[in-house]
Structures are given as C-alpha cells and as structure tokens.
Amino acid sequence: MTATPRSLELTQIAAAAADAKQAENIVALDVSGPLPLTDVFLLASGRNEPQVRAIAEEVIDKLLEHGVKLLRREGLSEGRWVLLDFGDVVVHVFHDEDRMYYSLERLWKDCPVVPLTISVG
C-alpha cells in the first residue's frame, strides 16, 4: 500500500508550513503499509518550545485553509512534542532533544521516505 495523492499533497503543504517557521530536519515517511489508519508521518524539529508551538500552529493554519479538519492535537501547550492528527497525515513537531530521544525515524526505518519539494534542513 502507498500513500494517496491527497495525502502526499497535504504532506507538501504541511512541510512548507513547517519550513516557513524555520523548522529543521523535516522528514516525511510513508507509513501506509504498517499503519492502516494513516498514510504519512511528517516529522519536524524546533530549537525551543516557542518555536515548536509556532511550527505546529502554522501547520494547523495552512491545512485548515485547505479544508482539512484537525482530528486531534496533543502537546501544544508544552511545546516539546506536538502531535497533530489530520487523518491521512499525522504531523509530529519535536523539540530537538525530544526528537533525538524518541527517534521515530529509527522506529519507522523500514517505511519509505516521501520526497518533499521544499529545501529540507
């Protein structure tokens, strides 16, 4: 199974929104094979709690502008690991330290990387 074209489109929008707030290490993984509930995990990092919150809020705003409903939001007030569930796309915005600790890329290393059209850093 592979991510749907709509999921891939939303991933690009979310990645661009994260990039607009200077998110670092933006990576998208196609998790549609092992996870029947979602297609893509988008991972991004911020250097501090306010930046993590700003990245998450920008992603929410941009996807809402494209008619995507936010199903669940966790961790926004803490600004350490924000999880945004948009159904077909789940966005994880981490504080740098938490991203290294939880290492989701390692956990999902068998999933294909989704190419992003932004310059990822």
Side-chain angles (χ1 to χ4, degrees):
M1 186 150 230
T2 60
T4 66
R6 177 70 173 153
S7 297
L8 297 175
E9 175 189 359
L10 298 177
T11 299
Q12 297 297 335
I13 294 166
D19 185 58
K21 293 296 180 180
Q22 288 80 46
E24 298 175 344
N25 199 15
I26 303 170
V27 176
L29 302 173
D30 183 337
V31 295
S32 61
L35 287 179
L37 300 175
T38 193
D39 283 351
V40 177
F41 277 178
L42 179 69
L43 312 173
S45 297
R47 292 178 297 282
N48 53 52
E49 288 88 351
Q51 185 188 21
V52 168
R53 285 191 291 271
I55 293 164
E57 289 168 353
E58 184 72 6
V59 169
I60 292 168
D61 290 346
K62 292 302 179 192
L63 287 176
L64 288 175
E65 286 176 15
H66 284 83
V68 183
K69 182 178 178 185
L70 178 61
L71 303 175
R72 178 179 215 124
R73 177 184 72 193
E74 299 288 337
L76 188 62
S77 60
E78 295 86 1
R80 299 294 299 184
W81 177 1
V82 180
L83 183 141
L84 306 171
D85 182 355
F86 294 96
D88 292 336
V89 177
V90 175
V91 179
H92 300 267
V93 184
F94 289 96
H95 187 288
D96 284 332
E97 295 166 3
D98 292 274
R99 181 154 180 190
M100 289 175 48
Y101 179 79
Y102 290 105
S103 189
L104 289 189
E105 290 96 333
R106 183 181 52 78
L107 293 173
W108 297 99
K109 68 181 179 222
D110 294 335
C111 294
V113 173
V114 174
L116 299 171
T117 57
I118 58 165
S119 60
V120 292

